[in-house]
Amino acid sequence: MTRDVTLHDAVVAGIAVAAGLLAALVLKVVLRWLAERALRTKWIGDDIIVDVLRTVAPFSAVAAGVASGAAALPLNHSVGHTLNEVLETLVILVASIAVARVTGELVQTVAQSRSGVAGSATIFVNITRIVVFAMGFLIVLQTLGISIAPLLTALGVGGLAIALALKDTLANLFAGVHILVSKTVQPGDYIRLTSGEEGYVVDINWRNTVVKQISNNLVIIPNGKLAGTNMTNFSRPEQKLSVSVQVGVAYDSDLDEVERITIEVAEGVMKDIAGAVPDHEPAVRFHTFGDNRIGFSVILGVGEFSDKWRIKHEFIKRLHQRYRAEGIRIPVPERTVSLRQGDLQQGDLHQGGRATSVPHPRACQDPAVDAAADVAFDDRRSPSNPSRSV
């Protein structure tokens, strides 16, 4: 100190500090009121501005009060300069933290609005916050009188070594940025990889992509692998999609009636079941003459991928009930077994290429075996009837 502190100096310094605290309290109340008003507007910019001021302005008022109080005291030049630098550094750090937080929230909001989902792309949020913190750190160094040119040079030289050491991490980072920028995958999309993993994309961060399966399990996929594999995105270009249900009816069915009834059932499902697309027009397409049925596909519309299980469930139940009421038969698989002369010899029963000696069929206790044996022996005695179907 240049001289001793007097009572007048202490009173002036105390008043300055008290004024700073009072100003901080007033600013906090006023900015809270402004924040409530900003929430009622559609523009998001006023919310960001008020949020930053609510953090920075009160602290700046306190710092200004402390600086004014220190100026009223008989401090020497070096002490006063150091105190001012410390206060400036604290204000810059607080401002950097506030700007980084608010900017990160803004980026997250924009990412959600662009993708139209509730997920978060934290990779952009993290990059934004790192950039803001780096700028704040450089400003602090410049404020303290430290030249940042050698630091930037050192970072440029060491950047190559860091890139080689973190090769995989940087590959995943840039792969994640590429995925989000190209909009091939966004948080909330339902995807399926060629390796079999499928589910909803929960988050894309700086290293990996988190996929939540329908069973609520999380699958962690490195961004580099996701960018380099074949993938089906069921949410792009839109979430609505069509699903096909395979049905078959007997050959004696009236196909026009089958088509009419099936479309009526499908239209009812589209209108009644949550997750269906009410304005979707179901379609029936016959495609196969099968062994015992005529096969066709029923095309239904669903709002998004996970809804298809519920839609197919309700459609199959209603269609089965309607077919039973209308007398439309869904055939079950049938098989005809033919016994020919020489397949079953007297005293021998051939099974799987092995001959097993058995007594005369009349000695068997099973009526079905007795009947089959009678057919075989009747075929042997009647050359004009070489085979019979059972």
Side-chain angles (χ1 to χ4, degrees), residues 49-79:
I49 295 173
V50 173
D51 199 3
V52 172
L53 291 177
R54 290 182 66 181
T55 303
V56 177
F59 186 84
S60 299
V62 174
V66 174
S68 300
L73 297 176
L75 303 176
N76 56 40
H77 177 73
S78 61
V79 174

Side-chain angles (χ1 to χ4, degrees), residues 295-331:
F296 60 94
S297 300
V298 183
I299 302 173
L300 307 174
V302 298
E304 60 103 10
F305 186 82
S306 63
D307 292 330
K308 75 173 187 176
W309 311 110
R310 181 173 59 258
I311 303 302
K312 294 175 69 174
H313 168 79
E314 292 294 335
F315 174 72
I316 291 174
K317 287 199 319 182
R318 293 190 181 190
L319 187 65
H320 181 261
Q321 182 180 5
R322 183 70 182 276
Y323 277 5
R324 293 184 63 181
E326 299 290 342
I328 299 176
R329 188 168 59 91
I330 302 177

